[in-house]
Amino acid sequence: MSRTPLLAGNWKMNMDHLQAIKLVQELGLDLEDHKFNYADADVVVLPPFTDLRSVQTVVESDKMKIAYGAQDISVHDNGAYTGEVSASMLVKLGCTYVVVGHSERREYHCESDAVVNEKTKVTLAAGMTPIVCCGEGLEIRQAGTHVDHVLKQINGAFDGISAEDALKCVVAYEPIWAIGTGEVATPDDAQEVCGAIREKLAELYGQEVADKMRVLYGGSVKSSNVKEILSRPDIDGALVGGASLKADEFSRIVRQDG
Ligand code: PGA
């Protein structure tokens, strides 16, 4: 089964809009210098909301093949929701991806599986691709119940979502203990959970749908480890935090050039 790899840079709360312009330009130039073939992988950046307009301007004016999206989305269409950003606002800015249910949203903003489910639906309804995040904390990993924990999150996130819509989603497995810690899950650890996620998706939607869906790994991915992680059969790309903030390093990750 061939699935186009997806490499997505989650900038988190880093980069003002001027820095964002520079980073996207440098990334595009670096990939061009290395004659990167965009047919080999989908390249996505996920800047803070305040950068999106600038990123849109650079990508569109330079006709870059880099896609971009948001790190979160409101479940509401519009109205009195101070601080929130709606799906239609993101679509208007040319966003095609939205990170949904990142562990930092779950932890610091109390996002439950039900909220993650709602955000996934709102993203799909607007025609964007949700990157649905899941992953266990250290205690759960140490207790050995990580697979059950993640599959429960998948069940919750995909509740009431049709097979047709599931096909438009990307899943990202990000063990919390490996995020920003330098602690990477071994490729076999990552494969164990990503494989279990695909089995769960097959149970929910049938094997054919599950085989087409992309499952990413995230957690301290860098150019020196990306190739081995992506060599595992059920890992179709990476959601990259810290290492996506430097153009040359993220370019290496995209090109799998360790
Ligand atoms: P990290 O973050 O690559 O800095 O570990 C990954 C993520 O949280 O998406």
Side-chain angles (χ1 to χ4, degrees):
M1 182 77 226
S2 77
R3 293 176 289 264
T4 307
L6 170 61
L7 286 309
N10 173 12
W11 296 0
K12 308 193 179 184
M13 199 174 70
N14 295 292
M15 303 283 153
D16 61 37
H17 74 286
L18 298 174
Q19 295 168 320
I21 291 170
K22 186 163 175 276
L23 180 52
V24 173
Q25 272 171 342
E26 283 177 357
L27 176 62
L29 284 176
D30 199 276
L31 290 171
E32 203 176 297
D33 284 350
H34 288 91
K35 305 201 174 353
F36 173 69
N37 180 358
Y38 283 88
D40 291 343
D42 291 337
V43 186
V44 178
V45 293
L46 303 155
F49 290 132
T50 50
D51 298 354
L52 287 171
R53 177 63 172 158
S54 308
V55 169
Q56 176 190 34
T57 305
V58 174
V59 166
E60 287 183 359
S61 55
D62 291 354
K63 298 194 172 44
M64 285 183 177
K65 292 187 185 132
I66 295 173
Y68 55 91
Q71 299 169 17
D72 187 31
I73 191 167
S74 175
V75 297
H76 306 288
D77 290 341
N78 61 277
Y81 300 102
T82 303
E84 300 262 301
V85 175
S86 73
S88 61
M89 292 169 181
L90 297 176
V91 169
K92 200 81 173 173
L93 285 167
C95 291
T96 49
Y97 288 85
V98 179
V99 179
V100 173
H102 190 278
S103 59
E104 287 148 19
R105 301 284 324 165
R106 292 179 188 258
E107 185 177 347
Y108 307 134
H109 301 272
C110 304
E111 287 192 10
S112 62
D113 286 339
V115 169
V116 174
N117 177 245
E118 249 189 292
K119 291 190 172 184
T120 304
K121 287 174 177 164
V122 163
T123 303
L124 285 165
M128 296 180 286
T129 301
I131 301 177
V132 180
C133 300
C134 56
E136 82 286 354
L138 188 58
E139 273 176 32
I140 293 172
R141 165 65 58 166
Q142 283 168 343
T145 53
H146 48 286
V147 172
D148 284 351
H149 177 85
V150 168
L151 297 187
K152 195 171 152 279
Q153 290 179 321
I154 294 293
N155 255 329
F158 283 90
D159 187 32
I161 290 177
S162 67
E164 195 190 331
D165 274 344
L167 270 174
K168 299 173 191 153
C169 297
V170 171
V171 175
Y173 166 58
E174 299 203 304
I176 298 166
W177 48 272
I179 294 179
T181 57
E183 186 95 29
V184 196
T186 66
D188 290 338
D189 285 342
Q191 164 59 30
E192 179 199 23
V193 182
C194 291
I197 290 171
R198 198 176 308 283
E199 275 172 32
K200 168 56 75 183
L201 294 169
E203 190 186 307
L204 294 172
Y205 299 114
Q207 195 64 49
E208 204 182 321
V209 170
D211 282 343
K212 287 186 181 147
M213 290 177 68
R214 288 184 288 193
V215 181
L216 316 182
Y217 167 78
S220 299
V221 172
K222 36 189 186 285
S223 58
S224 56
N225 60 27
V226 68
K227 200 170 178 157
E228 210 198 336
I229 292 169
L230 266 62
S231 71
R232 295 304 191 267
D234 288 300
I235 305 178
D236 308 314
L239 184 54
V240 185
S244 70
L245 297 173
K246 290 211 174 80
D248 57 342
E249 171 67 359
F250 190 54
S251 166
R252 276 178 186 278
I253 291 172
V254 167
R255 293 179 288 112
Q256 293 187 45
D257 173 16

